[in-house]
């Protein structure tokens, strides 16, 4: 009845992981963080076995034998008798051999279907005389596909664990996307995958392969990976169920501002509803897509992202927006008139009227408490009536002071 298993920081190898998973038919959440994984082997004996290389070489050398594929398949069936009968399945299938009958955990039909779908090969069910089980005729003819399934070695076979819905495999050394795809084959019903803090550099492969590898994945965490190209992010649109994505801390985002990061990501991912933990509302998506169009508007057509033409067809040709800075001005160059004396001063606009009086006492040689200040706005066509600056706690920017304006100073009681 165990639903969650944490094997983080245990240095557990993949052979041990498989052994445990075969005994836990209802396990849904698996944590494999800090285990120094560099690869995800699809076959039990390839987990940490140096002999797998030699085995693979001998299998390759025998590929010239026209009966090699059939004998390899026979070896595959023979190996299946060693799989525990309580293993997880997506549809079990009995395979009769000379000496034993057993149930394969992953289901041979699922394995063959998955491999054929990923390779784009059409399949036809036939009956194998030695096993009385349906197999694919193309599997017997395609030696490259048989190599992918590692059927040449009787001690290797693809098995999947369909009960796993959540996998945390952070802080490992997974750098190749092929290893991530192996996770999809091992856990075909995976819904949440956390790959944060792995040195993953690229997301490669055709969109059809991605869709077949992770058909149920809806939540993906790629934080602090090594992704550096927008094409990698665009590849994620092939995942049919993906709705939640995390991309914080990847090198791709370092050259963009916070606003650009979010908007450019949202515009590229039309089906994602949550980015970096924040929900994407329809108004934000439209704003991001319009920003995306303007961002790449002046880019050469050959360098524009594929998404650009789709959004251009939806919104039409947009105009660039005016760049308006609505922040209050911090400083101003003004003229200070005191009696018949005029001085030019550079003043801070975040200070108060009382602070300005103290600053002007050196200009007017009068104590601050004896000064009355007036703001005079100078325009090209007219001069506005002076506005007395009465409140000592009022900040100067609230008077709308701009460069070229005048501060008129008079003595109180005059």
């Amino acid at each position: 009845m165990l639903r969650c298993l944490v094997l983080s920081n245990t240095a557990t190898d993949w052979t041990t992981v498989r052994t445990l998973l075969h005994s836990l038919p209802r396990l849904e959440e698996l944590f494999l963080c800090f285990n120094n994984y560099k690869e995800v082997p699809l076959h039990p004996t390839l987990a940490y076995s140096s002999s797998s290389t030699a085995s693979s070489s001998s299998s390759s050398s025998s590929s010239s034998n026209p009966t090699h594929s059939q004998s390899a398949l026979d070896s595959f069936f023979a190996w299946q008798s060693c799989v525990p009968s309580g293993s997880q399945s997506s549809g079990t299938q009995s395979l009769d051999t000379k000496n034993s009958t057993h149930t394969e955990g992953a289901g041979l039909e699922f394995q063959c279907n998955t491999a054929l779908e990923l390779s784009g090969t059409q399949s036809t069910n036939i009956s194998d005389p030695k096993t009385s089980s349906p197999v694919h005729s193309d599997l017997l003819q395609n030696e490259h596909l048989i190599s992918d399934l590692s059927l040449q070695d009787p001690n290797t076979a693809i098995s999947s664990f369909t009960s796993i819905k959540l996998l945390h495999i952070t802080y490992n050394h997974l750098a190749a996307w092929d290893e991530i795809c192996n996770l999809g084959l091992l856990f075909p019903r995976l819904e949440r995958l956390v790959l944060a803090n792995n040195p993953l550099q690229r997301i490669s492969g055709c969109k059809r392969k991605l869709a077949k590898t992770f058909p149920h994945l809806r939540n993906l965490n790629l934080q602090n990976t090594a992704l550096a190209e927008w094409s990698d992010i665009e590849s994620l649109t092939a995942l049919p169920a993906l709705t939640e994505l995390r991309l914080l801390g990847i090198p791709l985002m370092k050259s963009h501002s916070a606003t650009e990061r979010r908007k450019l990501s949202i515009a590229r991912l039309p089906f994602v509803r949550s980015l970096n933990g924040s929900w994407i509302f329809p108004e934000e998506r439209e704003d991001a897509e319009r920003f995306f169009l303007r961002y790449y508007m002046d880019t050469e057509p050959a360098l524009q992202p594929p998404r650009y033409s789709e959004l251009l067809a939806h919104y039409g040709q947009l105009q660039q927006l005016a760049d308006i800075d609505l922040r209050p001005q911090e400083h101003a160059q003004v003229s200070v008139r005191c009696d018949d004396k005029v001085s030019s001063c550079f003043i801070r606009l975040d200070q108060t009227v009382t602070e300005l009086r103290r600053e002007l006492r050196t200009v007017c040689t009068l104590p601050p408490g004896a000064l009355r200040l007036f703001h005079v706005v100078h325009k090209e066509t007219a001069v506005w009536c002076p506005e007395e600056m009465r409140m000592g706690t009022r900040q100067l920017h609230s008077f709308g002071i701009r460069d070229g304006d005048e501060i008129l100073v008079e003595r109180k009681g005059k």
Side-chain angles (χ1 to χ4, degrees), residues 197-413:
N197 297 284
N198 278 283
L200 180 63
Q201 298 178 352
R202 295 301 307 270
I203 297 178
S204 57
C206 66
K207 290 188 175 183
R208 184 173 181 270
K209 179 179 178 181
L210 287 175
K212 294 294 184 181
T213 306
F214 296 102
H216 305 285
L217 188 66
R218 58 178 178 82
N219 188 308
L220 177 62
N221 189 331
L222 296 172
Q223 287 186 183
N224 299 318
T225 55
L227 298 176
E229 300 291 339
W230 279 115
S231 58
D232 298 323
I233 307 304
E234 293 164 352
S235 299
L236 298 177
T237 58
L239 300 176
L242 185 66
T243 57
E244 301 176 41
L245 180 65
R246 291 181 181 268
L247 296 173
L248 293 175
I250 64 176
L252 171 63
M253 301 300 178
K254 292 182 178 180
S255 60
H256 298 282
S257 66
T259 299
E260 291 175 345
R261 294 169 192 169
R262 184 166 178 85
K263 290 185 176 181
L264 294 178
S265 299
I266 291 175
R268 281 180 163 87
L269 302 165
F271 302 113
V272 171
R273 294 184 295 176
S274 175
L275 179 64
N276 298 328
S278 298
W279 289 105
I280 304 170
F281 296 98
E283 296 81 5
E284 183 185 13
R285 175 167 294 282
E286 181 177 348
D287 180 59
E289 291 173 347
R290 289 179 177 273
F291 177 88
F292 181 87
L293 284 174
R294 293 187 174 99
Y295 187 87
Y296 290 104
M297 182 180 297
D298 299 326
T299 306
E300 296 181 13
L303 301 178
Q304 290 173 340
R307 180 73 171 148
Y308 181 86
S309 58
E310 299 174 9
L311 294 178
L312 184 63
H314 179 73
Y315 291 104
Q317 189 70 38
L318 303 181
Q319 299 297 324
Q320 289 287 8
L321 297 177
D323 187 10
I324 301 175
D325 189 357
L326 299 178
R327 294 175 298 178
Q329 191 173 339
E330 297 179 355
H331 299 85
Q333 190 77 34
V334 299
S335 299
V336 178
R337 184 182 297 275
C338 183
D339 297 330
D340 295 332
K341 183 181 178 181
V342 179
S343 303
S344 179
C345 295
F346 188 69
I347 62 174
R348 292 185 302 107
L349 299 180
D350 60 347
Q351 64 182 328
T352 63
V353 174
T354 299
E355 291 171 334
L356 179 61
R357 287 197 186 106
R358 296 194 189 102
E359 186 177 334
L360 295 180
R361 67 184 175 182
T362 58
V363 178
C364 302
T365 64
L366 293 172
L371 300 180
R372 294 177 65 190
L373 304 181
F374 296 85
H375 173 221
V376 182
V377 179
H378 283 265
K379 294 289 186 180
E380 296 180 358
T381 57
V383 178
W384 291 11
C385 294
E387 177 187 2
E388 185 172 1
M389 305 166 71
R390 292 178 179 273
M391 297 180 59
T393 57
R394 184 176 175 182
Q395 290 185 324
L396 300 186
H397 63 72
S398 65
F399 292 95
I401 299 175
R402 296 292 182 265
D403 292 335
D405 288 354
E406 182 179 310
I407 303 296
L408 178 61
V409 182
E410 290 186 357
R411 185 192 299 267
K412 285 185 178 180

Side-chain angles (χ1 to χ4, degrees), residues 69-138:
S69 297
Q70 182 62 56
S71 61
L73 190 61
D74 295 340
S75 299
F76 169 75
F77 291 135
W79 178 85
Q80 296 299 316
S81 61
C82 302
V83 178
S85 59
S87 59
Q88 306 170 48
S89 66
S90 58
T92 56
Q93 179 177 354
S94 297
L95 302 177
D96 299 329
T97 60
K98 271 185 179 180
N99 303 319
S100 62
T101 302
H102 72 283
T103 301
E104 161 57 17
L108 174 63
E109 186 174 1
F110 170 79
Q111 299 170 23
C112 296
N113 279 336
T114 301
L116 289 170
E117 287 173 349
L118 294 181
S119 65
T121 308
Q122 298 294 327
S123 60
T124 304
N125 286 341
I126 62 173
S127 179
D128 181 65
K130 294 189 178 183
T131 62
S132 300
S133 300
V135 297
H136 293 279
S137 60
D138 288 341

